[in-house]
Amino acid sequence: AITIALVFLLFRPQQQKAKQHRAMIDAVKRNELCARWLLQLVGRSGKGDPASRPVDLSREERDATVALAVRHGLAPLLHRALQSSGEWGRWPDHLTRLLDEQRQATALANLQRYGEFRRITRVLGDLGIPVMALKGLHLAERAYGDISLRPMSDMDILVPRNRIREAIGALY
């Protein structure tokens, strides 16, 4: 009876922990695989080794890849990459709808930011304060060529240091 109790008290919890550890390692490996495919597809617009193309992903791996893209703000780029690579029609409808929604939401939000940037430049321009867009606004148009491809959460602008207080006062 003592031996059976020891098995349940000592060995059973160790087996459960080992099983949980293996599941965690498998999840990390799956996420690493999905991250590699996502970076390959986004970075090369779907070109590369055919054996590692997203068409070879399981349904679970495709779900994980899209979730990863959404989490890291890469969904619009994944959307474009899948369309330009010819993979779009091979992906499940629920994922392509999600990618469509993400890209449309990014486009709408960025159009609103561009509108706000135009308002800011008009107000500051009327006061003779020069303004320059930095990072997100500038990159979305220049580097990506499409404002729907780069999600932004804020807007960074540069004004001359000696005019900062005046600019803040004019905008608020």
Side-chain angles (χ1 to χ4, degrees), residues 28-44 52 54 57 65 68:
V28 167
K29 286 179 182 177
R30 186 175 56 250
N31 283 337
E32 180 183 350
L33 177 68
C34 294
R36 283 187 194 168
W37 274 317
L38 176 63
L39 291 174
Q40 173 193 335
L41 193 62
V42 168
R44 296 184 183 162
S52 64
L57 293 174
T65 299
L68 196 61

